[in-house]
Structure formats: C-alpha cells, structure tokens
Amino acid sequence: MITVTHLAKVYRQAGRDIHALAGVSLDVPAGTVHGVIGPSGAGKSTLVRCLALLDHPTSGTVEIDGVDLASVPAAQLRRARRRLGVVFQHANLFDSRTVLDNVAYPLEIAGAGRRERRARALELLGLVGLADAAGAYPAQLSGGQRQRVGIARALATDPDVLLCDEPTSALDPRTTDEILDLIAGLKERLGLAVLVITHEMSVVTRICDAVSLLDAGRIVESGAIADVVADFGSRLSEALLALPGDHAGGDVDVLDAVDDARVPALDQVAAALGAGPRIVSGTVEAFGGVTFHRLRLAAPPGVTPDALVRALVDAGARAQEVAR
Amino acid sequence: MSWIDSLVSNPAITEALGPAALETVQMVGISTVFTVLLGLPLGVAMVVTARGGMAENRAVNVVLSGVIVNITRSIPYAILMLALIPVTRALVGTSIGPIAASVSLTVAAVPFFARLVETALREVDPGKADAAHAMGSTRRQTITRVLLPEALPSLIAGATTTVVTLIGYSAMAGLVGGGGLGRLAYNYGYQRYQPEVMVVVLVVLVLLVQAVQAVGDALARRADHR
C-alpha cells in the first residue's frame, strides 16, 4: 500500500513562491484503485513527479510499505523505487531496445542475469497479452500495445504500487477501455495498490474504487466512489453523474441511489402539487455496485422551485434547487 | 602533352596520389578517433551540467560550453593550426607530417563534435530519462544505457558530419606540412600549375566525402529503430 502525507511542493519562480502542491494526503490500500482527478493546472503533473520522486517534495512523506521514499538517501532510494512501478502517459519506452529488452531493463539495472531477465520479461509480456511482440521494436507497435509494454515494464521488479500518470489520455476510446480493464485485472491478480492520476472522468467511472479531486494543489474532495457520488451537490458527484445536453429551464435536481428509491417520489409529488414536474434531463450510472440516478426537473406552472423541493423531500427523495 | 596523357603519365598522379590519399585518410582517421574519444564525454558533460540537467553545475557548464567550446570554435582553423605548432611539437616531437597534423585537427573537431553530441542528447525525449530514473537507474546507467543508445542515430550522423569537416580541414593542414591530398593539390596543381592534378585531387576528395557520407548514413539507418 502507499500512504502519502501532507505532500507539498513549492517552486520559486520570478521571486515568488508557487505552491504547486499544498499538503496532499492519500491512502491507497493493496488491491484497490484510487483515482486523482483534477483540471489542468491543478497540480497533477507535480503530484506525479513528487510521488515518483522525479522531483523532490518540499515537505511531506511518500510511504510504501512503511518506507518513506522522500527521506531515504539516494542509493537506498534506487532500491526502494523497485516497490513502485510507474506507467507514463506516452509509455516512454526506449526506441533503441526491443520490447523484450524494454521490459527487462529494470531487471538489468538491478543486476539480474541474462536468462532470468529474459524469462521474467516473457512472463510479463504474457501477462499483458503481448508475448508475440517480444522481438519487435516499440515503433512497430500501436499506442495501446506500447502502453501494455509500459505496464509490463513497470511490473518487472514486482512492485506493490503502480502509479499511472494519465495512462489512457493518448489512446482512442476502445483502446482506453482495454488498458483500463488490464490495469483493473492486474490489480486483482497481483494485489496491487494502484494510483491513477487523470483528467478523464471515464477512467474514474470504469476502474476506481476511491477518488480524490485535486484543485489548486489541494485535495478538495475524497472518498470511496459510492460515498463521493452520494454526496449530493459535491463537485465529484456532479461530474460523475453529469447530466447530458442543455440544462436550460431546469430548476431542481434530484439524486438517489436506485436501491433507496423505493418510494415512487415523482408520483407522490405530482399528487401533492396537483401537477407533475417536467423531467429536463437525467442520468443513471452504477458506482461501486450501487446504481445512482440524478434527474433535473422543472416545476409545473404555478409551483415555485422551493415548493417542489419541499414536496420531493417530503416524498423521501433528496432534492435541491439548482444554483443559477 | 595533352591533358589526358598527363593523367596517366604525370608522376604527381601516378606515384604521389596514392600515398597522399593515404596520408589524408591517416590524418582524418587519427583525428576522428580522438575527436570521438574526447568530444563524446565533453558533449555528455555539457548536457549533464546544464540547467535542469542530471548534475546541474553552472560553473562547470560555463567553463565547458562557454569557454572551451565557444572559444575554440570561434578560432578559424587556418589560424588554430598555426597557433598550435608549439603544442604539436611538444606532443609528437614534430610539426610535420600527418600525425602532427592530427593534433590541430583533433583540437578543432572536438568542440564541433561535442556540440553535435549535445544537440543529439537534447533531442532524446526527457520522458525516457524520467522513466530510467523512476526505475531506479543511476545517472551513469541513464546516460550509458538509455540516453546514448537512444541518441545513437543522431550521434552517428554527427560523427559523419565531423569526418567530412575533418577531410576539409585536412587539406588546409596539408599546406603547412601535414601532407596528404591538400599538399599535393597545392604543390602541383597550384604552384606548378598542373590543373589536371588539381582536378584529380578534387575528384578523389569528392569520392572520399561521398563514401564517408554513404557509410555514415547506412550506419545511422541501421541504428535507427524509431
């Protein structure tokens, strides 16, 4: 597992201090995928570089199995890094090496023998479904295949933690799904703690067990995915249960887990108000085994949004007026 | 004596051309070997000590890049080879002959090649060095096992350009006692006014450069898996 505590990074630029990370704490247990999502400029790149110790954090700790990577001396850091595999957005494979030699690289610098390296690299390539490509050069592969090789290489030293930096941002939608499924499968098989840094909400929806929202160098929302979605009105809930289309004319949002929605709320509301609200937009999605729905309603003529909210709450639904 | 007869009867061509060509190859060969041996580490050092480099060191970088390389490169070769005559005497005991000429050729070509090495290494995607570090590589491993192999096609192209430049410089070195094709062209083609010697030397030089470029291109292609 990986535990990040109060991680901060301050850059000095043009005489001013830039707080790229202002105290980030995360906890990713083995066998789970934690997503960190945020808009560009939120500090995602700095976070990745600090977690991978490519940049040294100004303060805070990055603990993997109790060893703080941020405080060990350089020689030990090289050893400790083997517990952390990094998957990069553009795979960052070495073009001068074959696929097999790319995957074998971490073992090569760790001093493993030639035969051992080859056997392990072939095993890893089998794991990511690319055993046939061992002798090819990276330039001969597709983007998705290159990312598979990147994942195999990250796993070569048998790490406990996989850090994925925008692993699918350079891929088409179908390949994205394949890579995400591969990561999720490897997490199950190898008991990895996976930390995915991304700007794509679909990545969170597809594979994350927990998610944190990074904004301006801080984690502003965080939690298990079902809890975060259930937190009505939160930015992550809004983003994960995004409403399609143009929302003009909507007055009231209703959010419910389908399992909770035993009460036919809309029927009750229509009876109470004498007229049914109009459904402007809606979305249904499953998170962590719970199906959520979110509806945007327009109050019927003669009914204020406020009255509609009260009627919905009386009927047992969670509702709130949409901020304009 | 006609032009054509002279081509097969003039001893400057029938007897002196072969040894002169060999001297040129010798000069260029020796200086190429030393240029690569000295210029490669110099280029690597310039990249590594640069701002944001693996072992950032402003003072060392200024000395290497700003002083050694820039100053040497701003001296025209014709002047550099004359200025270096005492150094050459001290190093090889004489200032005459292809081996002596190799000293000034090397001094001129090292900073040139080092700049090309620097450019080649800078062209390597920094993400590759990041990946190497993230996997626990030492700086030395990152340089020798990742950066240099990744830059190999560009390094070969740079070495090829350097050899071609050295062939050009070697003709100048020939004028002050270095021997080789440069001296042949000067002594016979210019001073004795035998234009056929000049033409033949030019043809040999053109063929030499073409051959070097072709071999360099082929090697670079072979090393390129991108």
Side-chain angles (χ1 to χ4, degrees), chain A residues 144-175:
Chain A
Q145 288 173 322
R146 290 165 70 91
Q147 197 55 287
R148 284 170 187 271
V149 177
I151 292 169
R153 183 178 68 174
L155 294 174
T157 52
D158 208 3
D160 304 309
V161 179
L162 199 60
L163 172 64
C164 304
D165 175 19
E166 301 275 7
T168 58
S169 300
L171 305 176
D172 64 61
R174 216 186 91 202
T175 315

Side-chain angles (χ1 to χ4, degrees), chain B residues 28 40 42 48 53 65 68 71 119 125 134 138 160-161 164-165 172 175 177 199 201 209 212 214 217 221 223 225:
Chain B
V28 172
L40 193 63
L42 180 58
V48 168
S65 175
I68 297 181
I71 289 184
T119 311
D125 179 355
T138 61
T160 307
T161 306
V164 170
T165 307
M172 263 188 271
L175 303 189
V199 168
V201 166
V209 169
V212 165
D217 288 348
R221 247 198 323 274
H225 298 292

